[in-house]
Amino acid sequence: MSILDDILEGVLEDLGDRMVAVPLDDLKERAGRQDPALDPMPAFRADGVSVIAEVKRASPSKGSLADIKDPAALAVDYADGGAAAISVLTERRRFSGSLDDLKAVRAQVDCPVLRKDFITTSYQLWEARAAGADMALLIVAALDQPALESLIERARSIGLTPLVEVHDEEEVERAVAAGADLVGVNARNLKTLEVDRSTFSRLAPLIPESVVKVAESGVRDTKDVIEYARAGAQVVLVGETLVTGGNPRSTVADLVAAGSHPALQHRW
């Protein structure tokens, strides 16, 4: 069993419990009470490189990363530093996250919020919207093609912007065929959990110009932002560097400033 398969097994078990506890109709009613979802795409398509800053307590590769007692306060620091969007890990077993974290963040920031989880059902999309998410992660490796296409369509129909994650050439082809207009290239190998920063530069040329390209994993500092930008990234998603660095607001500000360098303007 692969690491992804193991994670999905736990996710589906937890999902089954939630589906019993909260009927889908209740979620839809809660989603209907939310303010209209925020659209991240204008910021992502603007000049320079946008930063998605992540609330991340743990990971399968590193274990515990940070004791985040107040995810909302951390998200406010990110937003004050100039983050274009906030990503919140909601998977419980491997990432120590929850939908409560997302709800807390949504209540305190005005920028788009991404639910980052292992989404395989429309129920999870409704959960995301009911919690106040504006975006939802869809991992190509976790979905067959009909499910991927269906979830992209459903996400959009309820106001969510889908961030479609890929890891190799075949997944890029599948994401594009499914109509994704926001594609994240994850530099972390799901089989080994190792990060290969060359993954983005290898896959980015295969993604159409009209699609916004997000570099996920491997951003350690401003140099990495610039290197990803030169390879075609319009957005970077940063987690571990921010939660372990000690000063998240200034770190985000530094990454945003690097992405705003004049040499990186008007590239799309």
Side-chain angles (χ1 to χ4, degrees):
M1 178 182 288
S2 72
I3 294 168
L4 177 60
D5 289 336
D6 183 54
I7 292 173
L8 286 171
E9 186 176 278
V11 166
L12 291 173
E13 186 175 324
D14 291 343
L15 173 61
D17 293 340
R18 297 198 305 275
M19 291 178 74
V20 170
V22 183
L24 178 59
D25 285 344
D26 286 3
L27 283 180
K28 290 181 177 180
E29 193 273 331
R30 294 179 193 178
R33 295 201 306 265
Q34 293 289 338
D35 291 334
L38 301 174
D39 183 1
M41 297 300 276
F44 291 171
R45 292 187 185 279
D47 284 344
V49 180
S50 297
V51 174
I52 302 175
E54 190 158 86
V55 177
K56 184 177 186 178
R57 289 192 172 91
S59 75
S61 61
K62 297 289 184 67
S64 179
L65 294 172
D67 181 18
I68 302 173
K69 291 184 171 62
D70 190 343
L74 177 60
V76 169
D77 280 342
Y78 289 162
D80 288 346
I86 309 296
S87 170
V88 182
L89 262 303
T90 60
E91 195 279 330
R92 177 178 69 87
R93 301 189 185 204
R94 296 297 190 96
F95 295 90
S96 301
S98 72
L99 282 165
D100 286 339
D101 287 348
L102 195 152
K103 293 173 186 176
V105 168
R106 169 74 289 157
Q108 294 299 319
V109 300
D110 296 325
C111 59
V113 176
L114 164 70
R115 181 186 187 183
K116 196 174 182 190
D117 209 318
F118 297 80
I119 293 173
T120 59
T121 68
S122 59
Y123 182 93
Q124 292 160 287
L125 294 175
W126 282 108
E127 279 185 320
R129 191 69 197 99
D134 309 284
M135 307 165 62
L137 182 73
L138 298 175
I139 302 172
V140 173
L143 301 164
D144 62 26
Q145 195 65 12
L148 175 63
E149 293 173 2
S150 176
L151 289 173
I152 288 175
E153 182 178 350
R154 177 54 59 89
R156 290 172 175 158
S157 74
I158 64 177
L160 293 167
T161 298
L163 169 58
V164 181
E165 179 176 293
V166 301
H167 300 83
D168 59 31
E169 289 82 356
E170 180 185 3
E171 291 178 10
V172 170
E173 185 176 336
R174 289 182 55 201
V176 172
D181 56 9
L182 179 64
V183 170
V185 176
N186 195 335
R188 190 177 300 280
N189 187 307
L190 288 180
K191 296 178 181 178
T192 66
L193 296 182
E194 294 179 354
V195 172
D196 178 0
R197 291 175 184 82
S198 69
T199 302
F200 185 87
S201 60
R202 188 178 78 249
L203 299 185
L206 306 178
I207 302 172
E209 289 290 322
S210 60
V211 175
V212 172
K213 303 167 188 66
V214 184
E216 302 179 27
S217 297
V219 177
R220 301 160 297 185
D221 52 32
T222 57
K223 291 180 181 178
D224 288 327
V225 172
I226 292 170
E227 286 304 309
Y228 273 140
R230 287 174 174 163
Q234 292 152 276
V235 186
V236 293
L237 191 153
V238 191
E240 183 178 330
T241 295
L242 298 178
V243 299
T244 61
N247 196 333
R249 178 177 177 176
S250 66
T251 303
V252 169
D254 288 344
L255 298 177
V256 170
S260 301
H261 192 280
L264 303 179
Q265 307 302 301
H266 308 295
R267 295 177 297 114
W268 304 287

